[in-house]
Amino acid sequence: MSPFASSAFAQDVPTGTPRSPLFGALPFSQPMPRLDLQKPRHLKAVARGAETDVHFPDGMKQPPGHRLSYHTDFTESGGTAFRNPYHNVGPMEGRPPGEYFAHQRWEEYLPEVGYVMTLGRCGTGVKFHPAMPDQGIDQVWSLSPNMRGRCTLPPPLIKLRYGEPALFRLYNRLHPNPTKNGGFGSNSQSTHNHNAHNASGSDGAANTHFYPGQFYDYHWTTTLARADLINQAATDRRASGPAKRGTGLERVPGDFRELQGTLWFHDHRFFYTAENVYKGHVGMLNYYSGPDRGHEGLSDGINLRLPSGTELDWGNIDFDVNLIISDGATDQDGQYFFDIFDTRGFCGDMMLVNFAYKPYFEVLPRKYRFRVLSAGMSRFVELGLLNPQGNPMPFQVIATDGNLLVNPVTVTRLDPMGPGERFDIVVDFSVFQRGSRITMINTLEHANGMKPKGSVSIADALRGVPDDPAVGGVMEFRIVDAVESVDNPGKIHRRGDPDRSRVPGQLTQPIPIVQPIRTRVIEWKGEADVGVGQTGECFPDCGEKEVFPWTVRINGVSQHFLNANRSSLLVPRPGEVEHWTLVNTSGSWSHPVHLHLEEGVTIDRAGGPMTAIERANPRKDVWRLGPDGGTTVNVQVRFGEFGGAYVSHCHNTVHEDFGMLFRFDVLTDPANPENSQVHVNVIPTPKPSPEGVTYVTPEILPEGNPFDPTFNPFPGRPV
C-alpha cells in the first residue's frame, strides 16, 4: 500500500489514520502526574595525573567523569578494555575520542553534581490513562533513574542552578536489534539540552548519537551567556545562582539579562528526532538564578519572588508546575503509533499533559506559576483559560523560551505555540471558591501537519471540532482547600496560608539592537520551492528515507537538505553581533525555527505586527514563521563561550527529519586561554557506529564562510 494514501476511515482527521480509541477514558478523570524529580549526586574532584576526574558516590559503582571520552581509553588499550558490556564490541562510552569532543573548559566548569539516567523500554503499567491498555515494551521509550533500564512515565525533571555545573550521564538500554522498536524510533540516540549554553560535544546535535550498551557523558556547564565579555569579575549580584547552602547568592560571570529559567532536553538523533522524542525521550530542566530563585518568601533586593514556595532554600516547586503539552495517537489496540512515512508533519488526536490523557490538577486559591512546554512533533497549540462560567480569564505571561520578559504581559490566550516553544505564565486562582473548575483549552485546529488550519471560537472548542479531537479542553484545574507539599512531603498547605509570591512590573532589562558585523539571510524552503522527490547522500545513515522535500538556503546561493558533514554557516569570532533574516518561502507551511547554543532578540516581524508578548520578550530560541504571523522574522544573535558544530532547524521535527536542518560552526578565540584550542578551526565530523567513532572532513560552503573571498557580509538589504 502507498504510504501516502489517505485512510478511508479518517477523512480530514489530522493523524491521517483511524481515531485513537479511548477505551472509556473520560476527560479530566485522572490526576495530573508531576514530573519525576531527579536527585542530584554530589561529585568529588580527584586528581588523575594532569587531569581532574569527578567521582560519583561509591555506592553508585559508576566510572568517574573524564574530560576525555572513555572511547579514548578504549582506543589506547587497543580495544581490550573499556568495552561495551552489551556485546563486548566497541567502547563503553559513545562520546567521540580525542580532543575534538573532550569537555571544553572542564576545569573552569568542573561538575559538582551528577545525574545518572537510563533510556529504556517500557516496564509494566506504562499507560496514558488508567482505562487505557498498557503499552507494549517498545511502544514507549523514556528516561528513568532505574539502572535496569525499564522506562517509566511521567518524564523527568532536573533542577539546576547557575554556578553549579552538572554531569548528565545517560545509558542507552534499548534493544541492540534496531527492528525491536514497535514500528518507529531508532535505537541510536543523542540528547540535546534545549537551549543551554554548552560546548558542542554536549549539545547533542553534532552527529554524536550512541548505541545500546553505551553511555554518554554530557557536561552541562550552567554558563551564563557573555561570561567572557560582560561582568567577567562576577561583581553584579543579579548575575548569580542560589548559594549551595542557605539563602545567599553565588555570583557568576556574564550578563544577567540573559539568565534562563525553563529549558528542556530531548533526543536529537539526525533523521529520527521526531520518532524518538514522540516515543518518550524528553524531560524538563529548571534553571535557577539570583533573580529567579524559586523561593517566593525571600526578599533580598535581587529575588523576584515569583510563585514557587518556601520549604526549600531554592528551587521550590509546590506552586511552580511544569506542564509538557503534547499530542499522541494509538492504533486500534491502543498502542502508541507514529506515521514514519509522513514527510509533512504528524499530528496526534489525543492531548496529553506530562504524557497523561487530559488530566486534572488540584490547586489552592492562590498564585501559581506554570512552565508550559509545547512538545508535539508538528502540532501548534493556542492555549487559554476558561473560568467556571466558560468565559476567558486573564493570566500573566512572564517568560518565553525560558527567558524572562522585560515586563509581564496580561492575556486571556497565549500566542500560537510551535513545537519546542515555552511560555511561563502566572495564574491567580485566589478569586475562586472551593470546587471551582478552570479549564485549559486549545483553540487551534489542524487539518494535517502542514500548519494550523486556524483558530476556532471558544464555543466551538467547547462543543468539540469533529475533524480535530485535539481542539477543546486540555486539562482542568480544581480549587481545593488543602494540598500536600511536593517540596516537603507530609506537610499540608491549606487555603488561607499566606501567599508571599508576587509578579513585579519589571522582570529584567532589555537588550538593545545594535549595528551588526554582518547579516545573513536564511530561507526555509519546502515542496513548492524544491519539488517532491529531492534525493541525495545522507550523512549520517537515514535508514529507508528517500524523499527530502525540505531544504535551507543561506544568503541566496545554494539550497541543501540535512547533511551533518556540511557546514553551511561559519561564525568566525565569539562576541560578534549578527542579524539574521529568517524567511519562510513556502507560504503554505508553518515552520517553528530553532537556533541552538544561543538565543536571539526579535527585531521585527516583516509582513505582520509583533504580538504584545513578542514585544516584551528579550530573547527567544524558537521563532514561528508562517502565513498567520508573517513569513519573515529579523533577529539579532551573538555567539560566545564555546566552539564547535551546532545546528539550526525547523522544530516541526518531521520537517527536520526530512531535511530542514543546517549545521553551523562557531570558532573559538585563540587569544582566550580558557578556550579549547582545537576549536579554532572547524572540527571534523564524527561518524558513529556500534564498534566506535571515526572522523571525516567536513565541507564548508562559501556562502556562509566569512573567510571566503566570495562571501557577502550584507546580502540583500541590511536589516
Side-chain angles (χ1 to χ4, degrees), residues 27 104 117 171 221 225 237 240 266 308 351 364 394 422 521 541 548 568 600 621 623 645 652 661 670 716-717:
Q104 293 180 46
M117 302 199 74
Y171 282 87
T221 63
R237 295 180 66 223
S240 56
H266 60 83
S308 49
M351 292 304 290
L364 292 176
R422 288 92 68 208
V521 176
D541 170 63
F548 295 94
S568 297
D621 60 56
W623 290 273
N652 178 331
L661 179 149
R717 66 172 183 85

Side-chain angles (χ1 to χ4, degrees), residues 384-399:
L385 296 176
L386 303 181
N387 65 19
Q389 291 73 43
N391 298 319
M393 59 175 283
F395 54 91
Q396 292 178 292
V397 183
I398 60 170

Side-chain angles (χ1 to χ4, degrees), residues 8 215 293 329 366 406 431 441 500 636:
F215 67 83
R293 198 84 55 90
R366 54 151 293 152
V406 175
V431 299
I441 192 170
R500 297 184 175 90
Q636 174 175 288

Side-chain angles (χ1 to χ4, degrees), residues 76-93:
E76 292 176 348
S77 76
T80 62
F82 306 100
R83 298 167 73 92
N84 184 335
Y86 260 33
H87 43 61
N88 204 34
V89 174
M92 68 182 190
E93 184 175 5

Side-chain angles (χ1 to χ4, degrees), residues 356-592:
Y357 172 69
K358 292 191 177 183
Y360 66 84
F361 183 63
E362 294 183 339
V363 297
L364 292 176
R366 54 151 293 152
K367 293 191 291 298
Y368 278 75
R369 174 182 185 168
F370 296 102
R371 302 173 188 250
V372 185
L373 162 65
S374 176
M377 299 308 96
S378 305
R379 182 180 287 279
F380 290 68
V381 294
E382 186 178 55
L383 303 175
L385 296 176
L386 303 181
N387 65 19
Q389 291 73 43
N391 298 319
M393 59 175 283
F395 54 91
Q396 292 178 292
V397 183
I398 60 170
T400 68
D401 293 355
N403 303 276
L404 289 170
L405 302 183
V406 175
N407 310 106
V409 176
T410 299
V411 298
T412 58
R413 193 182 305 189
L414 291 173
D415 294 351
M417 296 176 70
E421 288 191 88
R422 288 92 68 208
F423 283 118
D424 287 29
I425 66 174
V426 173
V427 183
D428 190 347
F429 297 107
S430 63
V431 299
F432 298 109
Q433 299 299 313
R434 182 180 57 149
S436 298
R437 299 188 178 191
I438 290 85
T439 303
M440 176 180 282
I441 192 170
N442 172 36
T443 54
L444 202 56
E445 181 184 3
H446 273 261
N448 49 48
M450 295 167 52
K451 64 174 182 177
K453 183 178 179 180
S455 298
V456 304
S457 68
I458 290 173
D460 286 342
L462 289 175
R463 282 193 294 267
V465 175
D467 293 336
D468 189 357
V471 175
V474 174
M475 67 177 296
E476 187 176 80
F477 300 98
R478 297 180 178 178
I479 310 300
V480 296
D481 286 339
V483 296
E484 184 177 5
S485 171
V486 175
D487 301 315
N488 184 11
K491 178 171 182 177
I492 304 300
H493 294 299
R494 302 185 185 280
R495 170 189 288 270
D497 290 347
D499 179 357
R500 297 184 175 90
S501 70
R502 64 191 185 108
V503 181
Q506 182 169 342
L507 301 168
T508 187
Q509 292 181 6
I511 296 174
I513 305 301
V514 299
Q515 185 68 30
I517 295 294
R518 65 188 63 86
T519 64
R520 321 261 192 173
V521 176
I522 304 173
E523 297 172 85
W524 306 83
K525 304 175 78 65
E527 287 180 340
D529 307 296
V530 302
V532 179
Q534 298 295 304
T535 60
E537 180 183 357
C538 295
F539 191 92
D541 170 63
C542 56
E544 298 179 355
K545 292 181 171 68
E546 296 178 350
V547 177
F548 295 94
W550 306 104
T551 63
V552 183
R553 181 165 70 174
I554 308 293
N555 287 356
V557 182
S558 55
Q559 58 191 32
H560 299 277
F561 63 81
L562 162 62
N563 184 323
N565 198 41
R566 178 190 298 120
S567 181
S568 297
L569 188 150
L570 191 64
V571 180
R573 281 171 293 275
E576 294 181 339
V577 174
E578 298 189 355
H579 286 180
W580 289 11
T581 297
L582 308 175
V583 183
N584 177 0
T585 64
S586 49
S588 300
W589 310 88
S590 285
H591 300 299

Side-chain angles (χ1 to χ4, degrees), residues 156-177:
L157 168 65
I158 292 176
K159 297 192 296 188
L160 300 176
R161 64 182 183 90
Y162 279 98
E164 187 175 60
L167 186 72
F168 178 74
R169 175 170 291 172
L170 181 62
Y171 282 87
N172 186 334
R173 293 289 190 244
L174 302 177
H175 199 287
N177 183 344

